[in-house]
Structures are given as structure tokens and as C-alpha cells.
Amino acid sequence: MKTATQNLENDHVYILRLIDVMEKMVINCETNTSHMELVVSLIQHYADGFHHAKEENLLFPLLVQKGFSNEQGPVSVMLHDHAEGRNFVKKLSNGISLFKAGNVSALPEIYHNMQGYIDLLRAHIGKENNVLFRMADKALNEAEQEELLNKFAKVEIANYTNGQIQKFITDIEGLEVIYNEHN
Ligand SMILES: [Fe+2]
Ligand SMILES: [Fe+2]
């Protein structure tokens, strides 16, 4: 049976695939703003809204209950990474708006913030998969993992339809077709 940490690792697979697309955009010096806006929307609604919410609202508080510190150590590092990621995305989104308004000098800033997000999230997901989630697996027993997984499912059902979740995936796959196969 799938555990709560495995559920989060499965989200990471799609987030990493989106990040690979972003890297292609940076390498290609992409100027298609609708593709850029789709990437921002997927980060905001899938990586952050869907995935980080499960971590911040459910997993991390449970780990704090189990004795992990909120102020230092792995949970606080993960929260700090999430905040830093939101900063990159805010600046990326502002850059796209400026570029759409005709400001060509916003492009380097767009690529800079995309690359910042790419590097941050790859390192962040590595830390979660290799360190924090393995610590969580040791700290949580089978029943606690199952309860957490059920809470994830409740949050997902309350906030997203199956169609919305499926659309995140098909949107990422659609971008992969454009950026990974033809470049
Ligand atoms: Fe995270
Ligand atoms: Fe994560």
C-alpha cells in the first residue's frame, strides 16, 4: 500500500518534469509568453497549491508534533525553500508581465528567475526525497502514514476535481511534447 511520503514523491516526479521543461525554455531563450504563463500557473496551482500545501499543512505539522523543530533543522529548511521558491515565481511572473507590455529588457530577468527556481527546486526535492521523507518514514508508523494519506485525499477532494488534477498532468505532458521532443 502506498504511503503518504510515497504520494508526495509521486508529485515530485511531475514537478521535476515541469522543471526540465523550464530548463529547455531557458536554454532556448524562449519568448512564448503563453507557455511561460502556463508554467507559472502550474507552479502556483500544482507545485505550490496542491503539493506544498500537503507538506506545509499536514506533513510538517505532524512531524513537529513528533518532536521535529519548526525553527531549525530539516522542516524549517524546507519551509524556507518554499518561501524562496514563491519569491522566484513572483519575480518571474512580474517579468513576464513586463515583457508582454513590450519591455524586452525583462527577458534576462525571466530566465534568471526561472533558473533560480530550477536550481532551488531540484535541490529541495533531493533533500525531501533523500533526507526529510526518510526521517518521516522512521518517525511515523504504518497507521500514521495511512491517516496522513487519507488527509491528503480529503484535501485533494475538497480543493480539486479529478479533472483538474488530470489537467495538471496533461498540461505538463503537453509542454514536454513541445520542449523535450523537438529540441
Ligand atoms: Fe517541499
Ligand atoms: Fe515536496
Side-chain angles (χ1 to χ4, degrees):
M1 149 138 187
K2 221 166 112 176
T3 63
T5 45
Q6 283 167 348
N7 172 284
L8 295 171
E9 280 174 68
N10 185 57
D11 297 342
H12 286 170
V13 171
Y14 291 100
I15 296 169
L16 288 171
R17 283 169 62 175
L18 178 63
I19 284 169
D20 287 346
V21 166
M22 289 173 79
E23 189 170 50
K24 292 273 168 46
M25 287 179 148
V26 174
I27 292 167
N28 295 355
C29 296
E30 184 54 58
T31 55
N32 183 317
T33 51
S34 53
H35 291 171
M36 290 178 190
E37 283 175 331
L38 178 57
V39 165
V40 168
S41 170
L42 284 164
I43 294 172
Q44 289 172 334
H45 296 103
Y46 182 71
D48 216 29
F50 179 79
H51 175 77
H52 290 166
K54 286 189 277 187
E55 293 176 345
E56 290 187 4
N57 301 337
L58 295 166
L59 173 68
F60 298 169
L62 181 60
L63 293 178
V64 169
Q65 264 182 43
K66 289 272 164 187
F68 286 64
S69 168
N70 221 353
E71 278 86 40
Q72 56 186 10
V75 170
S76 78
V77 173
M78 297 309 130
L79 287 169
H80 181 266
D81 286 350
H82 289 184
E84 214 179 319
R86 285 174 193 131
N87 253 329
F88 280 125
V89 175
K90 199 172 151 196
K91 289 190 207 153
L92 171 58
S93 177
N94 286 342
I96 297 168
S97 300
L98 285 172
F99 179 60
K100 278 177 80 175
N103 188 341
V104 180
S105 66
L107 267 181
E109 195 57 19
I110 290 174
Y111 303 137
H112 174 76
N113 286 299
M114 274 198 184
Q115 192 61 52
Y117 188 82
I118 293 164
D119 295 340
L120 175 79
L121 259 281
R122 279 185 181 150
H124 176 75
I125 287 174
K127 283 181 269 185
E128 286 186 336
N129 285 355
N130 298 318
V131 183
L132 185 73
F133 292 177
R134 303 296 69 88
M135 291 167 96
D137 287 344
K138 288 201 179 89
L140 305 175
N141 64 33
E142 212 177 301
E144 288 165 331
Q145 282 267 13
E146 199 181 333
E147 197 189 330
L148 185 58
L149 188 62
N150 288 338
K151 283 186 182 163
F152 287 173
K154 273 191 196 137
V155 168
E156 288 178 15
I157 292 163
N159 296 296
Y160 304 91
T161 63
N162 275 340
Q164 278 174 312
I165 296 172
Q166 193 48 49
K167 185 151 191 325
F168 291 143
I169 307 302
T170 50
D171 281 344
I172 293 170
E173 287 169 349
L175 285 166
E176 282 179 326
V177 169
I178 298 166
Y179 286 93
N180 294 355
E181 292 179 11
H182 300 295
N183 290 290

mmCIF file of all heavy atoms in Angstrom, residues 5 8-13 15-17 19 51-52 55 60 74 77-78 81-82 117-137:
data_model
loop_
_atom_site.group_PDB
_atom_site.id
_atom_site.type_symbol
_atom_site.label_atom_id
_atom_site.label_comp_id
_atom_site.label_asym_id
_atom_site.label_seq_id
_atom_site.Cartn_x
_atom_site.Cartn_y
_atom_site.Cartn_z
ATOM 1 N N THR A 5 4.346 9.550 2.284
ATOM 2 C CA THR A 5 5.590 10.073 1.701
ATOM 3 C C THR A 5 5.743 9.632 0.243
ATOM 4 O O THR A 5 6.246 10.398 -0.588
ATOM 5 C CB THR A 5 6.827 9.672 2.551
ATOM 6 O OG1 THR A 5 6.730 8.303 2.905
ATOM 7 C CG2 THR A 5 6.945 10.505 3.803
ATOM 8 N N LEU A 8 3.758 12.013 -1.916
ATOM 9 C CA LEU A 8 4.475 13.276 -2.159
ATOM 10 C C LEU A 8 5.609 13.074 -3.167
ATOM 11 O O LEU A 8 5.859 13.939 -4.011
ATOM 12 C CB LEU A 8 5.017 13.841 -0.844
ATOM 13 C CG LEU A 8 3.959 14.269 0.185
ATOM 14 C CD1 LEU A 8 4.615 14.608 1.509
ATOM 15 C CD2 LEU A 8 3.136 15.455 -0.325
ATOM 16 N N GLU A 9 6.282 11.930 -3.080
ATOM 17 C CA GLU A 9 7.370 11.643 -4.030
ATOM 18 C C GLU A 9 6.824 11.500 -5.448
ATOM 19 O O GLU A 9 7.503 11.846 -6.417
ATOM 20 C CB GLU A 9 8.111 10.361 -3.622
ATOM 21 C CG GLU A 9 9.104 10.623 -2.503
ATOM 22 C CD GLU A 9 9.739 9.348 -1.974
ATOM 23 O OE1 GLU A 9 10.514 8.725 -2.718
ATOM 24 O OE2 GLU A 9 9.440 8.972 -0.826
ATOM 25 N N ASN A 10 5.607 10.986 -5.555
ATOM 26 C CA ASN A 10 4.984 10.885 -6.875
ATOM 27 C C ASN A 10 4.729 12.282 -7.457
ATOM 28 O O ASN A 10 4.979 12.514 -8.645
ATOM 29 C CB ASN A 10 3.672 10.099 -6.747
ATOM 30 C CG ASN A 10 3.028 9.859 -8.091
ATOM 31 O OD1 ASN A 10 3.631 9.279 -8.978
ATOM 32 N ND2 ASN A 10 1.802 10.354 -8.263
ATOM 33 N N ASP A 11 4.264 13.229 -6.632
ATOM 34 C CA ASP A 11 4.114 14.623 -7.104
ATOM 35 C C ASP A 11 5.461 15.159 -7.575
ATOM 36 O O ASP A 11 5.545 15.888 -8.569
ATOM 37 C CB ASP A 11 3.621 15.554 -5.974
ATOM 38 C CG ASP A 11 2.238 15.203 -5.445
ATOM 39 O OD1 ASP A 11 1.486 14.483 -6.124
ATOM 40 O OD2 ASP A 11 1.911 15.685 -4.333
ATOM 41 N N HIS A 12 6.535 14.824 -6.839
ATOM 42 C CA HIS A 12 7.872 15.321 -7.190
ATOM 43 C C HIS A 12 8.268 14.926 -8.613
ATOM 44 O O HIS A 12 8.936 15.685 -9.304
ATOM 45 C CB HIS A 12 8.928 14.768 -6.215
ATOM 46 C CG HIS A 12 8.904 15.404 -4.868
ATOM 47 N ND1 HIS A 12 9.624 14.908 -3.806
ATOM 48 C CD2 HIS A 12 8.269 16.512 -4.407
ATOM 49 C CE1 HIS A 12 9.424 15.673 -2.757
ATOM 50 N NE2 HIS A 12 8.593 16.643 -3.080
ATOM 51 N N VAL A 13 7.848 13.730 -9.032
ATOM 52 C CA VAL A 13 8.188 13.270 -10.386
ATOM 53 C C VAL A 13 7.659 14.272 -11.411
ATOM 54 O O VAL A 13 8.370 14.674 -12.338
ATOM 55 C CB VAL A 13 7.607 11.853 -10.638
ATOM 56 C CG1 VAL A 13 7.763 11.446 -12.101
ATOM 57 C CG2 VAL A 13 8.273 10.832 -9.718
ATOM 58 N N ILE A 15 6.703 17.455 -10.824
ATOM 59 C CA ILE A 15 7.326 18.772 -10.623
ATOM 60 C C ILE A 15 8.700 18.788 -11.307
ATOM 61 O O ILE A 15 9.052 19.763 -11.986
ATOM 62 C CB ILE A 15 7.423 19.118 -9.119
ATOM 63 C CG1 ILE A 15 6.015 19.233 -8.521
ATOM 64 C CG2 ILE A 15 8.199 20.418 -8.910
ATOM 65 C CD1 ILE A 15 5.988 19.318 -6.990
ATOM 66 N N LEU A 16 9.450 17.702 -11.175
ATOM 67 C CA LEU A 16 10.774 17.635 -11.824
ATOM 68 C C LEU A 16 10.637 17.641 -13.346
ATOM 69 O O LEU A 16 11.472 18.224 -14.046
ATOM 70 C CB LEU A 16 11.549 16.394 -11.351
ATOM 71 C CG LEU A 16 12.068 16.460 -9.906
ATOM 72 C CD1 LEU A 16 12.622 15.100 -9.479
ATOM 73 C CD2 LEU A 16 13.135 17.538 -9.732
ATOM 74 N N ARG A 17 9.590 17.030 -13.849
ATOM 75 C CA ARG A 17 9.364 17.044 -15.310
ATOM 76 C C ARG A 17 9.041 18.461 -15.776
ATOM 77 O O ARG A 17 9.510 18.903 -16.832
ATOM 78 C CB ARG A 17 8.244 16.062 -15.677
ATOM 79 C CG ARG A 17 8.746 14.614 -15.652
ATOM 80 C CD ARG A 17 7.636 13.594 -15.743
ATOM 81 N NE ARG A 17 6.862 13.673 -16.971
ATOM 82 C CZ ARG A 17 5.898 12.802 -17.299
ATOM 83 N NH1 ARG A 17 5.608 11.800 -16.482
ATOM 84 N NH2 ARG A 17 5.242 12.945 -18.429
ATOM 85 N N ILE A 19 10.102 21.149 -14.321
ATOM 86 C CA ILE A 19 11.368 21.869 -14.179
ATOM 87 C C ILE A 19 12.295 21.585 -15.369
ATOM 88 O O ILE A 19 12.991 22.480 -15.857
ATOM 89 C CB ILE A 19 12.007 21.510 -12.818
ATOM 90 C CG1 ILE A 19 11.259 22.273 -11.728
ATOM 91 C CG2 ILE A 19 13.488 21.851 -12.778
ATOM 92 C CD1 ILE A 19 11.603 21.832 -10.341
ATOM 93 N N HIS A 51 0.773 20.563 -4.019
ATOM 94 C CA HIS A 51 1.804 19.746 -3.362
ATOM 95 C C HIS A 51 2.351 20.383 -2.082
ATOM 96 O O HIS A 51 2.354 19.751 -1.018
ATOM 97 C CB HIS A 51 2.940 19.468 -4.354
ATOM 98 C CG HIS A 51 4.092 18.757 -3.756
ATOM 99 N ND1 HIS A 51 4.063 17.404 -3.483
ATOM 100 C CD2 HIS A 51 5.309 19.202 -3.315
ATOM 101 C CE1 HIS A 51 5.216 17.053 -2.940
ATOM 102 N NE2 HIS A 51 5.990 18.118 -2.810
ATOM 103 N N HIS A 52 2.826 21.611 -2.166
ATOM 104 C CA HIS A 52 3.406 22.237 -0.971
ATOM 105 C C HIS A 52 2.373 22.389 0.135
ATOM 106 O O HIS A 52 2.711 22.350 1.314
ATOM 107 C CB HIS A 52 4.052 23.591 -1.310
ATOM 108 C CG HIS A 52 5.312 23.445 -2.124
ATOM 109 N ND1 HIS A 52 5.903 24.488 -2.782
ATOM 110 C CD2 HIS A 52 6.072 22.348 -2.381
ATOM 111 C CE1 HIS A 52 6.981 24.049 -3.417
ATOM 112 N NE2 HIS A 52 7.104 22.751 -3.190
ATOM 113 N N GLU A 55 2.385 19.347 2.197
ATOM 114 C CA GLU A 55 3.556 19.319 3.080
ATOM 115 C C GLU A 55 3.393 20.313 4.233
ATOM 116 O O GLU A 55 3.564 19.956 5.407
ATOM 117 C CB GLU A 55 4.827 19.661 2.283
ATOM 118 C CG GLU A 55 5.159 18.576 1.269
ATOM 119 C CD GLU A 55 6.356 18.895 0.389
ATOM 120 O OE1 GLU A 55 6.793 20.074 0.339
ATOM 121 O OE2 GLU A 55 6.858 17.981 -0.261
ATOM 122 N N PHE A 60 4.356 18.516 7.641
ATOM 123 C CA PHE A 60 5.293 19.215 8.533
ATOM 124 C C PHE A 60 4.710 19.386 9.943
ATOM 125 O O PHE A 60 5.420 19.115 10.925
ATOM 126 C CB PHE A 60 5.738 20.573 7.951
ATOM 127 C CG PHE A 60 6.501 20.497 6.639
ATOM 128 C CD1 PHE A 60 6.761 21.649 5.903
ATOM 129 C CD2 PHE A 60 6.968 19.284 6.136
ATOM 130 C CE1 PHE A 60 7.470 21.591 4.700
ATOM 131 C CE2 PHE A 60 7.666 19.211 4.923
ATOM 132 C CZ PHE A 60 7.912 20.376 4.209
ATOM 133 N N PRO A 74 15.531 20.215 9.478
ATOM 134 C CA PRO A 74 15.006 19.970 8.131
ATOM 135 C C PRO A 74 13.651 20.619 7.821
ATOM 136 O O PRO A 74 13.471 21.139 6.727
ATOM 137 C CB PRO A 74 14.903 18.441 8.051
ATOM 138 C CG PRO A 74 15.067 17.931 9.437
ATOM 139 C CD PRO A 74 15.830 18.961 10.200
ATOM 140 N N VAL A 77 14.166 24.277 7.116
ATOM 141 C CA VAL A 77 14.875 24.452 5.832
ATOM 142 C C VAL A 77 13.881 24.290 4.673
ATOM 143 O O VAL A 77 13.889 25.073 3.718
ATOM 144 C CB VAL A 77 16.045 23.446 5.701
ATOM 145 C CG1 VAL A 77 16.672 23.499 4.311
ATOM 146 C CG2 VAL A 77 17.115 23.702 6.760
ATOM 147 N N MET A 78 12.997 23.304 4.767
ATOM 148 C CA MET A 78 12.011 23.062 3.699
ATOM 149 C C MET A 78 11.051 24.246 3.570
ATOM 150 O O MET A 78 10.732 24.673 2.468
ATOM 151 C CB MET A 78 11.209 21.780 3.967
ATOM 152 C CG MET A 78 12.012 20.500 3.989
ATOM 153 S SD MET A 78 13.069 20.258 2.571
ATOM 154 C CE MET A 78 14.597 19.889 3.366
ATOM 155 N N ASP A 81 12.830 27.023 1.874
ATOM 156 C CA ASP A 81 12.908 26.751 0.426
ATOM 157 C C ASP A 81 11.584 27.098 -0.265
ATOM 158 O O ASP A 81 11.580 27.698 -1.339
ATOM 159 C CB ASP A 81 13.206 25.261 0.156
ATOM 160 C CG ASP A 81 14.644 24.860 0.457
ATOM 161 O OD1 ASP A 81 15.490 25.739 0.699
ATOM 162 O OD2 ASP A 81 14.920 23.637 0.435
ATOM 163 N N HIS A 82 10.467 26.707 0.347
ATOM 164 C CA HIS A 82 9.161 27.008 -0.266
ATOM 165 C C HIS A 82 8.985 28.517 -0.428
ATOM 166 O O HIS A 82 8.505 28.982 -1.468
ATOM 167 C CB HIS A 82 8.013 26.464 0.590
ATOM 168 C CG HIS A 82 7.880 24.967 0.576
ATOM 169 N ND1 HIS A 82 6.858 24.315 1.235
ATOM 170 C CD2 HIS A 82 8.632 23.991 0.001
ATOM 171 C CE1 HIS A 82 6.993 23.004 1.059
ATOM 172 N NE2 HIS A 82 8.066 22.786 0.325
ATOM 173 N N TYR A 117 14.637 29.146 -9.803
ATOM 174 C CA TYR A 117 13.602 28.201 -9.348
ATOM 175 C C TYR A 117 14.018 26.760 -9.660
ATOM 176 O O TYR A 117 13.857 25.868 -8.815
ATOM 177 C CB TYR A 117 12.262 28.532 -10.023
ATOM 178 C CG TYR A 117 11.116 27.731 -9.451
ATOM 179 C CD1 TYR A 117 10.485 28.128 -8.272
ATOM 180 C CD2 TYR A 117 10.675 26.559 -10.063
ATOM 181 C CE1 TYR A 117 9.450 27.375 -7.724
ATOM 182 C CE2 TYR A 117 9.643 25.808 -9.522
ATOM 183 C CZ TYR A 117 9.028 26.217 -8.356
ATOM 184 O OH TYR A 117 8.012 25.476 -7.817
ATOM 185 N N ILE A 118 14.565 26.550 -10.854
ATOM 186 C CA ILE A 118 15.021 25.206 -11.270
ATOM 187 C C ILE A 118 16.044 24.669 -10.264
ATOM 188 O O ILE A 118 15.909 23.558 -9.741
ATOM 189 C CB ILE A 118 15.662 25.267 -12.685
ATOM 190 C CG1 ILE A 118 14.615 25.602 -13.749
ATOM 191 C CG2 ILE A 118 16.402 23.970 -13.013
ATOM 192 C CD1 ILE A 118 15.210 26.057 -15.089
ATOM 193 N N ASP A 119 17.066 25.472 -9.989
ATOM 194 C CA ASP A 119 18.152 25.024 -9.100
ATOM 195 C C ASP A 119 17.630 24.789 -7.684
ATOM 196 O O ASP A 119 17.969 23.796 -7.041
ATOM 197 C CB ASP A 119 19.289 26.061 -9.071
ATOM 198 C CG ASP A 119 19.958 26.202 -10.436
ATOM 199 O OD1 ASP A 119 19.833 25.281 -11.256
ATOM 200 O OD2 ASP A 119 20.602 27.242 -10.676
ATOM 201 N N LEU A 120 16.794 25.728 -7.225
ATOM 202 C CA LEU A 120 16.248 25.608 -5.863
ATOM 203 C C LEU A 120 15.414 24.340 -5.715
ATOM 204 O O LEU A 120 15.585 23.567 -4.766
ATOM 205 C CB LEU A 120 15.380 26.842 -5.545
ATOM 206 C CG LEU A 120 14.657 26.789 -4.199
ATOM 207 C CD1 LEU A 120 15.599 27.140 -3.055
ATOM 208 C CD2 LEU A 120 13.448 27.714 -4.184
ATOM 209 N N LEU A 121 14.478 24.138 -6.654
ATOM 210 C CA LEU A 121 13.545 23.007 -6.510
ATOM 211 C C LEU A 121 14.217 21.652 -6.695
ATOM 212 O O LEU A 121 13.872 20.684 -6.012
ATOM 213 C CB LEU A 121 12.363 23.170 -7.477
ATOM 214 C CG LEU A 121 11.066 23.701 -6.852
ATOM 215 C CD1 LEU A 121 10.309 22.612 -6.104
ATOM 216 C CD2 LEU A 121 11.319 24.860 -5.896
ATOM 217 N N ARG A 122 15.218 21.583 -7.594
ATOM 218 C CA ARG A 122 15.929 20.299 -7.739
ATOM 219 C C ARG A 122 16.618 19.946 -6.421
ATOM 220 O O ARG A 122 16.536 18.799 -5.963
ATOM 221 C CB ARG A 122 16.946 20.367 -8.879
ATOM 222 C CG ARG A 122 16.296 20.173 -10.238
ATOM 223 C CD ARG A 122 17.329 20.127 -11.342
ATOM 224 N NE ARG A 122 16.679 19.963 -12.636
ATOM 225 C CZ ARG A 122 17.165 20.442 -13.780
ATOM 226 N NH1 ARG A 122 18.303 21.105 -13.796
ATOM 227 N NH2 ARG A 122 16.506 20.238 -14.907
ATOM 228 N N ALA A 123 17.290 20.934 -5.827
ATOM 229 C CA ALA A 123 17.979 20.676 -4.557
ATOM 230 C C ALA A 123 16.959 20.359 -3.462
ATOM 231 O O ALA A 123 17.149 19.446 -2.656
ATOM 232 C CB ALA A 123 18.829 21.886 -4.168
ATOM 233 N N HIS A 124 15.848 21.114 -3.467
ATOM 234 C CA HIS A 124 14.812 20.946 -2.450
ATOM 235 C C HIS A 124 14.207 19.533 -2.499
ATOM 236 O O HIS A 124 14.075 18.862 -1.464
ATOM 237 C CB HIS A 124 13.725 22.002 -2.673
ATOM 238 C CG HIS A 124 12.557 21.882 -1.755
ATOM 239 N ND1 HIS A 124 12.613 22.259 -0.440
ATOM 240 C CD2 HIS A 124 11.298 21.403 -1.957
ATOM 241 C CE1 HIS A 124 11.443 22.021 0.129
ATOM 242 N NE2 HIS A 124 10.628 21.504 -0.769
ATOM 243 N N ILE A 125 13.860 19.095 -3.695
ATOM 244 C CA ILE A 125 13.249 17.772 -3.850
ATOM 245 C C ILE A 125 14.256 16.686 -3.468
ATOM 246 O O ILE A 125 13.893 15.689 -2.841
ATOM 247 C CB ILE A 125 12.686 17.606 -5.286
ATOM 248 C CG1 ILE A 125 11.410 18.474 -5.409
ATOM 249 C CG2 ILE A 125 12.404 16.135 -5.620
ATOM 250 C CD1 ILE A 125 10.808 18.539 -6.796
ATOM 251 N N GLY A 126 15.522 16.903 -3.788
ATOM 252 C CA GLY A 126 16.576 15.963 -3.375
ATOM 253 C C GLY A 126 16.629 15.846 -1.859
ATOM 254 O O GLY A 126 16.696 14.734 -1.314
ATOM 255 N N LYS A 127 16.545 16.988 -1.184
ATOM 256 C CA LYS A 127 16.596 16.973 0.289
ATOM 257 C C LYS A 127 15.372 16.265 0.869
ATOM 258 O O LYS A 127 15.477 15.508 1.837
ATOM 259 C CB LYS A 127 16.657 18.413 0.840
ATOM 260 C CG LYS A 127 18.013 19.071 0.725
ATOM 261 C CD LYS A 127 18.005 20.487 1.315
ATOM 262 C CE LYS A 127 17.663 21.521 0.283
ATOM 263 N NZ LYS A 127 17.761 22.911 0.765
ATOM 264 N N GLU A 128 14.202 16.523 0.270
ATOM 265 C CA GLU A 128 12.994 15.864 0.791
ATOM 266 C C GLU A 128 13.045 14.357 0.546
ATOM 267 O O GLU A 128 12.816 13.561 1.458
ATOM 268 C CB GLU A 128 11.736 16.482 0.158
ATOM 269 C CG GLU A 128 11.455 17.856 0.728
ATOM 270 C CD GLU A 128 10.163 18.481 0.258
ATOM 271 O OE1 GLU A 128 9.659 18.113 -0.827
ATOM 272 O OE2 GLU A 128 9.660 19.370 0.952
ATOM 273 N N ASN A 129 13.336 13.975 -0.702
ATOM 274 C CA ASN A 129 13.333 12.536 -1.025
ATOM 275 C C ASN A 129 14.395 11.776 -0.230
ATOM 276 O O ASN A 129 14.140 10.664 0.233
ATOM 277 C CB ASN A 129 13.607 12.322 -2.518
ATOM 278 C CG ASN A 129 12.413 12.669 -3.394
ATOM 279 O OD1 ASN A 129 11.339 12.993 -2.899
ATOM 280 N ND2 ASN A 129 12.595 12.615 -4.693
ATOM 281 N N ASN A 130 15.567 12.365 -0.109
ATOM 282 C CA ASN A 130 16.691 11.614 0.478
ATOM 283 C C ASN A 130 16.807 11.766 1.985
ATOM 284 O O ASN A 130 17.338 10.882 2.643
ATOM 285 C CB ASN A 130 18.007 12.036 -0.174
ATOM 286 C CG ASN A 130 18.018 11.723 -1.658
ATOM 287 O OD1 ASN A 130 17.567 10.656 -2.074
ATOM 288 N ND2 ASN A 130 18.478 12.659 -2.455
ATOM 289 N N VAL A 131 16.360 12.893 2.506
ATOM 290 C CA VAL A 131 16.570 13.134 3.939
ATOM 291 C C VAL A 131 15.248 13.225 4.703
ATOM 292 O O VAL A 131 14.928 12.359 5.516
ATOM 293 C CB VAL A 131 17.408 14.416 4.168
ATOM 294 C CG1 VAL A 131 17.687 14.602 5.656
ATOM 295 C CG2 VAL A 131 18.721 14.367 3.372
ATOM 296 N N LEU A 132 14.465 14.279 4.428
ATOM 297 C CA LEU A 132 13.287 14.526 5.284
ATOM 298 C C LEU A 132 12.271 13.384 5.237
ATOM 299 O O LEU A 132 11.769 12.956 6.283
ATOM 300 C CB LEU A 132 12.610 15.856 4.919
ATOM 301 C CG LEU A 132 11.461 16.170 5.873
ATOM 302 C CD1 LEU A 132 11.966 16.597 7.250
ATOM 303 C CD2 LEU A 132 10.510 17.207 5.323
ATOM 304 N N PHE A 133 11.957 12.918 4.043
ATOM 305 C CA PHE A 133 10.931 11.859 3.950
ATOM 306 C C PHE A 133 11.423 10.548 4.578
ATOM 307 O O PHE A 133 10.622 9.770 5.115
ATOM 308 C CB PHE A 133 10.506 11.618 2.495
ATOM 309 C CG PHE A 133 9.737 12.764 1.870
ATOM 310 C CD1 PHE A 133 9.339 12.705 0.547
ATOM 311 C CD2 PHE A 133 9.395 13.896 2.605
ATOM 312 C CE1 PHE A 133 8.627 13.750 -0.043
ATOM 313 C CE2 PHE A 133 8.689 14.954 2.026
ATOM 314 C CZ PHE A 133 8.311 14.880 0.696
ATOM 315 N N ARG A 134 12.721 10.306 4.482
ATOM 316 C CA ARG A 134 13.264 9.084 5.114
ATOM 317 C C ARG A 134 13.199 9.220 6.638
ATOM 318 O O ARG A 134 12.928 8.248 7.344
ATOM 319 C CB ARG A 134 14.698 8.813 4.645
ATOM 320 C CG ARG A 134 14.865 8.684 3.124
ATOM 321 C CD ARG A 134 14.136 7.487 2.484
ATOM 322 N NE ARG A 134 12.685 7.509 2.452
ATOM 323 C CZ ARG A 134 11.946 8.063 1.482
ATOM 324 N NH1 ARG A 134 12.533 8.652 0.464
ATOM 325 N NH2 ARG A 134 10.629 7.994 1.527
ATOM 326 N N MET A 135 13.412 10.454 7.130
ATOM 327 C CA MET A 135 13.257 10.676 8.570
ATOM 328 C C MET A 135 11.792 10.510 8.957
ATOM 329 O O MET A 135 11.471 9.940 10.008
ATOM 330 C CB MET A 135 13.739 12.084 8.949
ATOM 331 C CG MET A 135 15.236 12.276 8.825
ATOM 332 S SD MET A 135 15.709 14.022 8.905
ATOM 333 C CE MET A 135 16.131 14.150 10.613
ATOM 334 N N ALA A 136 10.891 11.010 8.093
ATOM 335 C CA ALA A 136 9.454 10.886 8.358
ATOM 336 C C ALA A 136 9.050 9.409 8.380
ATOM 337 O O ALA A 136 8.264 8.990 9.240
ATOM 338 C CB ALA A 136 8.655 11.635 7.296
ATOM 339 N N ASP A 137 9.597 8.622 7.455
ATOM 340 C CA ASP A 137 9.271 7.188 7.415
ATOM 341 C C ASP A 137 9.665 6.500 8.726
ATOM 342 O O ASP A 137 9.005 5.555 9.151
ATOM 343 C CB ASP A 137 9.986 6.500 6.238
ATOM 344 C CG ASP A 137 9.372 6.873 4.896
ATOM 345 O OD1 ASP A 137 8.240 7.407 4.878
ATOM 346 O OD2 ASP A 137 10.029 6.642 3.859
#
